[in-house]
């Protein structure tokens, strides 16, 4: 028989939160067996990313950088916690209300999971099993929070709004704090253990082990050794080569896709004479090219950190496309990641002789999973959102007037060559430095043209030439340095670069939308 359970609001909120914890812990456990992308919190987060207006996304990337995904997941969990507390309170009044609220949340999770581009029917299992476990925990804890009244313990106060709850036999119900808290403790242990086991199982199912077994072939076309003067060796200056760990990461996936190289295939189709499919093993046997290339995110603000330089190894995209017989009227490559993200790359850029690669390695090791293992695109001279698809599995040869990629309908330009930029790494904005000779230094980039000059000026005086480091080619950034005789006071420092074609970057400051930020990086320092 359905009973009304009258418990204090705080106890109902705790019951709801713990039941939600059991549901999520169980869902994560099941996701470990299915796949981590099926965890409903991540699916809801991914769906939130898709429907979020572009200006908010731009703000999140520019403000939070690589932490934007963690903040989004935390936000989803906060909303979930509030809703869980609410359904717990409702369950304390009438259990059916709480169960209905839990069912509603489960429906939202299933909808989010099934609307993912790479959704599978089995992806609903974590949500279904999690909701069932949460419903069981909610029912058990709610019932455990009351008992028939006896000579011990205060009776729950009743009123017209809080009617008396009777147990079978006519005994009024009494709230039992001790029974509730012992039940909560046991449920928290179950939820925590489920989550830990799920993460461990999921971790074992990742591709890390497969990645470590990859034996990288020697490149047929190796990169030349870096020039002796490529790194100026100034303390605090960004190194010429960015380590894999420090390389920026911006992508739409909340959980890093786990792609088994043994199952990976790259399909090239569309406006071609001979559609082809290539396995990872076949790709490793093809002629490999090694190249030093700087990548830049279009969301990088003037002076921002979303840029990095690495040595890449891969198969030239142009060679693969020639094998498929690209038709003359095609002008776009619509590439797709394993998680459904799409990217539109101008075909002429890939085919003009530059080192555009289906990359398999980064700085001498197989691609890190978070950087696109087993295969990603690397195209010099274009912002990442139109060129650098990670976990790439499909390339459709098409036209810009027929297809759109992920970011284009969200307000970003369809074609986005990288703008010439320069950045001051030291001193940093707001620093206080000592008077006398001090180094002003940073990096500048103008892929695929190259940086020809960097100039620095102090307090809007005359521009002075900085000395430049050596570079292996036009596709990397370039270190620069300027010796300044600092005098006491507050000073403004500006920098600008000129590319190898003679174009000097504009002073006009613009936001990244729709095709990359522009303007001079300017800082203020105090000499004391």
């Amino acid at each position: 028989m359905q009973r009304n359970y009258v418990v204090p609001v705080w106890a109902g909120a705790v019951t709801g939160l713990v039941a939600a914890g059991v549901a999520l812990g169980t869902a994560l456990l099941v996701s470990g067996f299915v796949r981590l992308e099926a965890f409903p919190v991540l699916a809801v987060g991914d769906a939130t990313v898709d429907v979020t207006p572009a200006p908010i996304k731009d703000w999140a990337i520019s403000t939070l950088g690589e932490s934007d995904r963690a903040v989004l997941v935390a936000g989803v969990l906060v909303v979930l916690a509030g809703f869980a507390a609410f359904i717990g309170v409702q369950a304390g009044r009438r259990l059916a209300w709480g169960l209905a609220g839990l069912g509603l949340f489960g429906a939202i999770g299933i909808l989010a999971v099934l609307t993912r581009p790479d959704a599978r029917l089995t992806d609903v299992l974590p949500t279904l099993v999690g909701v069932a476990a949460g419903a069981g925990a909610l029912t058990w804890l709610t019932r455990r929070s009351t008992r028939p009244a006896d000579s011990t313990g205060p009776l729950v106060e009743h009123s017209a709004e809080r009617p008396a709850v009777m147990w079978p036999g006519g005994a009024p119900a009494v709230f039992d704090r001790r029974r509730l808290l012992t039940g909560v403790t046991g449920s928290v242990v179950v939820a925590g253990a489920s989550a830990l086991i799920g993460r461990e199982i999921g971790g074992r199912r990742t591709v890390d082990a497969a990645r470590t077994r990859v034996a990288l072939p020697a490149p047929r076309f190796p990169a030349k050794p870096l020039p002796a003067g490529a790194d100026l060796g100034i303390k605090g200056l960004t190194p010429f080569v960015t380590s894999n760990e420090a390389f920026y990461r911006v992508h739409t996936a909340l959980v890093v896709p786990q792609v088994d190289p043994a199952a990976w295939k790259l399909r090239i189709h569309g406006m071609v004479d001979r559609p082809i499919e290539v396995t990872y093993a076949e790709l490793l046997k093809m002629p490999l090219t090694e190249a030093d290339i700087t990548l830049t995110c279009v969301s990088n603000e003037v002076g921002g950190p979303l840029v990095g330089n690495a040595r890449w190894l891969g198969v030239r995209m142009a060679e693969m496309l020639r094998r498929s017989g690209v038709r003359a009227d095609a002008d776009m490559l619509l590439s797709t990641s394993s998680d459904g993200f799409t990217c539109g790359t101008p075909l002429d850029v890939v085919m003009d002789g530059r080192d555009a690669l289906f990359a398999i390695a980064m700085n001498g090791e197989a691609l890190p999973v978070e950087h696109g293992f087993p295969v990603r695109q690397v195209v010099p001279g274009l912002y990442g959102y139109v060129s650098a698809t990670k976990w790439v599995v499909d390339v459709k040869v098409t036209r810009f007037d027929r297809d759109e990629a992920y970011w284009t309908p969200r307000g970003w330009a369809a074609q986005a060559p990288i703008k010439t930029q320069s950045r001051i790494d030291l001193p940093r904005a707001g620093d206080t430095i000592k008077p006398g000779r001090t180094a002003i230094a940073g990096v500048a980039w103008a892929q695929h043209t190259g940086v020809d000059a960097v100039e620095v000026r102090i307090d809007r005086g005359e521009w002075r030439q900085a000395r430049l480091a050596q570079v292996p080619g036009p596709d990397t950034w370039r270190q620069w340095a300027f010796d300044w005789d600092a005098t006491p006071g507050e000073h403004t420092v500006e920098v600008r670069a000129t590319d190898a074609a003679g174009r000097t970057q504009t002073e006009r400051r613009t936001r990244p939308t729709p095709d990359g930020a522009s303007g001079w990086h300017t800082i203020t320092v105090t000499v004391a």
Side-chain angles (χ1 to χ4, degrees):
M1 180 176 89
Q2 176 67 51
R3 296 193 295 269
N4 292 330
Y5 294 95
V6 180
V7 297
V9 170
W10 71 264
V14 169
T15 297
L17 288 170
V18 173
V22 171
L24 293 181
T26 304
L28 185 55
L29 174 62
V30 178
S31 297
F33 291 98
V34 178
R35 60 183 189 133
L36 291 179
E37 292 89 337
F39 185 47
V41 172
L42 296 176
V44 170
D46 281 329
T48 301
V49 169
D50 287 348
V51 300
T52 299
I56 297 178
K57 291 182 184 178
D58 302 342
W59 173 87
I61 293 174
S62 62
T63 304
L64 304 173
E66 296 178 10
S67 301
D68 59 340
R69 294 177 296 280
V71 172
L72 176 58
V73 171
V76 172
L77 291 175
V78 168
V79 172
L80 171 60
F83 186 67
F86 172 76
I87 66 174
V89 171
Q90 298 308 309
R93 297 170 178 170
R94 185 178 292 273
L95 181 58
W97 295 348
L99 294 177
L102 193 60
L104 174 62
F105 184 78
I108 294 172
I110 290 174
L111 180 63
V113 166
L114 290 179
T115 53
R116 295 297 80 219
D118 58 342
R120 309 168 188 172
L121 188 58
T122 55
D123 287 351
V124 303
L125 289 176
T127 303
L128 289 175
V129 178
V131 168
L138 183 65
T139 301
W140 183 67
L141 289 173
T142 302
R143 289 175 174 168
R144 190 174 175 82
S145 64
T146 61
R147 60 177 172 79
D150 53 24
S151 59
T152 63
L155 290 174
V156 177
E157 294 184 5
H158 305 298
S159 65
E161 292 75 24
R162 294 169 60 88
V165 177
M166 308 301 293
W167 279 75
V174 62
F175 172 61
D176 195 320
R177 184 196 306 265
R178 184 183 63 82
R179 278 168 51 86
L180 173 62
L181 295 181
T182 55
V184 163
T185 301
S187 299
V188 168
V189 171
V190 171
S194 298
L196 289 174
I197 294 172
R199 288 189 61 181
E200 179 65 20
I201 293 173
R204 290 177 180 174
R205 292 172 59 86
T206 65
V207 299
D208 286 337
R211 176 180 173 271
T212 59
R213 292 193 297 268
V214 173
L216 294 175
R220 179 176 294 186
F221 307 102
K224 295 179 181 179
L226 292 180
D231 200 307
L232 297 176
I234 300 174
K235 184 179 180 181
L237 174 59
T238 300
F240 178 75
V241 176
T242 309
S243 69
N244 293 354
E245 294 75 22
F247 209 97
Y248 77 94
R249 292 185 296 139
V250 174
H251 47 253
T252 60
L254 290 183
V255 60
V256 175
Q258 307 290 316
V259 183
D260 183 355
W264 177 88
K265 288 183 180 180
L266 176 64
R267 179 180 175 228
I268 299 178
H269 62 106
M271 298 174 67
V272 299
D273 297 328
R274 298 172 296 278
I276 61 175
E277 248 184 16
V278 179
T279 67
Y280 188 66
E282 291 170 337
L283 196 71
L284 294 183
K285 295 176 182 177
M286 295 180 181
L288 299 178
T289 295
E290 194 176 49
D292 297 298
I293 300 170
T294 295
L295 299 184
T296 309
C297 179
V298 72
S299 296
N300 197 42
E301 298 279 0
V302 172
L306 303 180
V307 56
N309 182 62
R311 176 162 286 189
W312 308 90
L313 176 69
V315 175
R316 286 180 175 271
M317 294 174 64
E319 294 304 316
M320 297 275 286
L321 292 167
R322 290 189 185 99
R323 284 180 53 187
S324 66
V326 175
R327 295 175 188 167
D329 54 340
D331 65 5
M332 173 191 181
L333 302 177
L334 183 69
S335 54
T336 304
S337 167
S338 67
D339 67 342
F341 172 81
T342 55
C343 169
T345 307
L347 178 61
D348 61 337
V349 170
V350 173
M351 305 297 287
D352 70 0
R354 70 187 71 191
D355 293 322
L357 304 175
F358 288 119
I360 62 168
M362 179 181 184
N363 289 331
E365 62 180 69
L367 284 174
V369 175
E370 61 270 20
H371 286 293
F373 180 80
V375 181
R376 69 170 295 168
Q377 291 182 178
V378 174
V379 181
L382 298 178
Y383 286 116
Y385 82 100
V386 297
S387 67
T389 307
K390 302 173 187 174
W391 313 288
V392 61
V393 294
D394 187 276
V395 175
K396 178 184 178 183
V397 181
T398 180
R399 294 185 54 83
F400 281 103
D401 58 7
R402 297 180 186 176
D403 286 295
E404 282 187 318
Y406 181 88
W407 283 110
T408 306
R410 291 167 170 81
W412 293 86
Q415 304 185 43
I418 293 174
K419 297 178 179 179
T420 300
Q421 278 290 307
S422 51
R423 185 181 76 196
I424 302 170
D425 286 348
L426 61 102
R428 299 191 181 279
D431 277 357
T432 298
I433 60 178
K434 295 179 180 180
R437 181 61 59 95
T438 189
I440 301 173
V443 290
W445 56 91
Q447 310 99 302
H448 160 72
T449 307
V451 171
D452 191 55
V454 173
E455 299 169 285
V456 176
R457 73 174 179 179
I458 312 296
D459 299 329
R460 300 193 71 82
E462 67 177 277
W463 288 101
R464 297 186 178 182
Q465 292 285 332
R467 69 180 186 274
L468 301 178
Q470 298 297 312
V471 286
D475 293 331
T476 70
W477 58 14
R478 193 168 195 174
Q479 290 185 349
W480 59 267
F482 175 78
D483 294 324
W484 174 40
D485 291 319
T487 58
E490 187 175 88
H491 300 279
T492 299
V493 183
E494 297 170 289
V495 65
R496 69 181 185 185
T498 300
D499 68 18
R503 297 180 292 256
T504 300
Q505 61 179 113
T506 177
E507 180 181 11
R508 189 171 69 90
R509 199 70 171 254
T510 63
R511 299 280 296 171
T513 310
D515 59 357
S518 67
W520 299 337
H521 189 205
T522 304
I523 65 169
T524 300
V525 297
T526 300
V527 179

